[in-house]
Amino acid sequence: MNKKRMLSGITTTGKMTLGNYIGAMKNFVALQDEFEMYVFVANLHGITTPIDKDILRKNIKEMVTLYFACGMDPKKSTIFLQSDVLEHTQLGWILTCNTTIGELQRMTQFKDKSTKVKSENGTEFIPTGLLTYPALMAADILLYDAEFVPVGKDQKQHIELTRNIAERMNNKFGEMFTIPGDYTPKVGSKIMDLQDPTKKMSKSGANPKGFIALLDDINEVKKKIKSAVTDSENIIKYDVENKPGVSNLLTIYSALKNISIEEAEKFFKNKDYGILKDEVSNVVVNLLEKIQLKFKELFNSDLVDSWLEQGAEKARKLASKKLTKVKNLTGLNYKRK
Ligand code: TYM
């Protein structure tokens, strides 16, 4: 039986966080047997906001190593670096030309990030890529005829836009793209900041105590969880509106234990916040220790580079076929209809 194809990526703007892990990476790893999986390290997306070249290099190296340290298996999945497959940017350009400025300006992430760049740097220098990047993301997805795109909640709007662009192109030029569906985890599609649980946990979070990075020092991680914001009720129940901090800790626990929120609530019934934090700390530390051990093993070996080369080669095969089809149908390739 043919497996359905999935594709996803993570941007190299900073450290991979527990939010990225629970919302995305954990699912890539878990779904490798069931789906034909294409995952990539989105380094071209990593330059949409200004970044120092040495930091970018370090981010990419860490991120590619982390994919494998988290459990991506090069025998089962196709794992590659985005800029190694040139077709992404060519299709990205074609899609940019078939997307409106209005559509891009409506993207929540653009609104948030452009405001942030302005307020942090006091500058009007908003890179154009910050606006147009959803068209590149659409190309990432449509090049591979992905049927599903496993992502966290914050990326759903971009996938919706991808569907709109794909439908528009199919209608205008003839069938060329598969319409992708999104695939968000039942538990953990939006992990919140530990210090401000009304905000998403983010790699560029202002307060480093608010996010956990997979490569954080283990003692720091324990401290961060201990100092996570809760409330004064000392009742453990899931109620995002009134108890965002406790709900976030319950979510992290459930996701990493692979149990439902209700099961977690049952487990913590009549227990106090101290125990909740201890238990969350145990599951997180357990996970991070395993990942960090594997990371150290892989970081200085040549294995990662050779796996990425092999991944890019396989990805190019699908990508070049699709790009040729698009060029034929849109008239760019003047010799073919
Ligand atoms: P990025 O790098 O911001 O995030 C990578 C993945 O992690 C998820 N995520 C979260 N999930 C739960 N809780 C959080 N706090 C949290 N923070 C992040 C995101 O939803 C995402 O799934 N543009 C994308 C990368 C990308 C991509 C693609 C994804 C580029 N091309 C094609 C899918 C398909 C991005 O910036 O994700």
Side-chain angles (χ1 to χ4, degrees), residues 10 14-25 63 66 191 201-205 211-215 288:
I10 300 180
K15 302 162 173 179
M16 201 193 291
T17 67
L18 189 64
N20 295 138
Y21 181 83
I22 293 176
M25 179 55 76
M63 189 75 89
L66 268 174
I191 299 298
M201 182 184 283
S202 152
K203 355 182 198 217
S204 46
F211 70 87
I212 291 176
L214 300 188
L215 297 176
L288 264 48

Side-chain angles (χ1 to χ4, degrees), residues 134 137-138 141-142 158-167 180:
M137 177 162 165
I141 297 168
L142 299 177
H158 292 151
I159 302 190
E160 176 98 49
L161 175 66
T162 302
R163 279 194 286 273
N164 292 341
I165 300 173
E167 274 161 11

Side-chain angles (χ1 to χ4, degrees), residues 20-227:
N20 295 138
Y21 181 83
I22 293 176
M25 179 55 76
K26 177 174 179 288
N27 307 300
F28 306 168
V29 174
L31 296 164
Q32 288 182 99
D33 290 312
E34 203 183 321
F35 290 87
E36 187 190 359
M37 187 71 83
Y38 280 70
V39 295
F40 64 97
V41 172
N43 59 340
L44 292 171
H45 291 271
I47 57 170
T48 47
T49 46
I51 186 163
D52 175 86
K53 63 180 187 305
D54 293 323
I55 295 178
L56 179 64
R57 237 177 239 129
K58 180 169 174 279
N59 287 350
I60 298 173
K61 168 85 176 160
E62 274 183 12
M63 189 75 89
V64 292
T65 311
L66 268 174
Y67 267 53
F68 299 102
C70 287
M72 288 312 298
D73 181 345
K75 287 198 207 79
K76 292 181 185 165
S77 302
T78 306
I79 304 141
F80 60 100
L81 183 62
Q82 186 186 23
S83 63
D84 281 346
V85 183
L86 304 184
E87 284 80 0
H88 286 243
T89 38
Q90 270 213 20
L91 184 62
W93 174 248
I94 298 171
L95 299 189
T96 303
C97 295
N98 283 278
T99 308
T100 67
I101 294 176
E103 278 174 317
L104 295 169
Q105 281 173 335
R106 275 197 292 280
M107 294 294 111
T108 316
Q109 279 217 341
F110 170 69
K111 290 190 219 162
D112 291 350
K113 287 194 181 170
S114 52
T115 319
K116 208 167 158 212
V117 170
K118 257 191 220 165
S119 65
E120 273 176 8
N121 308 333
T123 164
E124 287 294 320
F125 186 89
I126 313 280
T128 314
L130 199 57
L131 177 69
T132 58
Y133 108 89
L136 178 61
M137 177 162 165
D140 299 336
I141 297 168
L142 299 177
L143 264 181
Y144 299 93
D145 282 323
E147 283 161 281
F148 294 103
V149 185
V151 284
K153 216 179 196 167
D154 61 334
Q155 290 297 326
K156 282 179 100 159
Q157 197 188 26
H158 292 151
I159 302 190
E160 176 98 49
L161 175 66
T162 302
R163 279 194 286 273
N164 292 341
I165 300 173
E167 274 161 11
R168 180 178 308 150
M169 299 278 289
N170 284 351
N171 288 336
K172 188 168 175 194
F173 300 104
E175 272 314 296
M176 58 174 92
F177 295 129
T178 298
I179 309 296
D182 42 38
Y183 190 109
T184 40
K186 271 204 199 86
V187 180
S189 68
K190 192 172 183 187
I191 299 298
M192 309 308 273
D193 186 286
L194 298 176
Q195 288 299 315
D196 180 357
T198 60
K199 276 203 201 119
K200 184 187 77 165
M201 182 184 283
S202 152
K203 355 182 198 217
S204 46
N207 184 349
K209 279 167 121 187
F211 70 87
I212 291 176
L214 300 188
L215 297 176
D216 269 353
D217 174 80
I218 296 292
N219 283 323
E220 286 300 314
V221 171
K222 289 181 184 162
K223 278 192 214 152
K224 286 184 190 182
I225 296 174
K226 221 178 199 134
S227 66

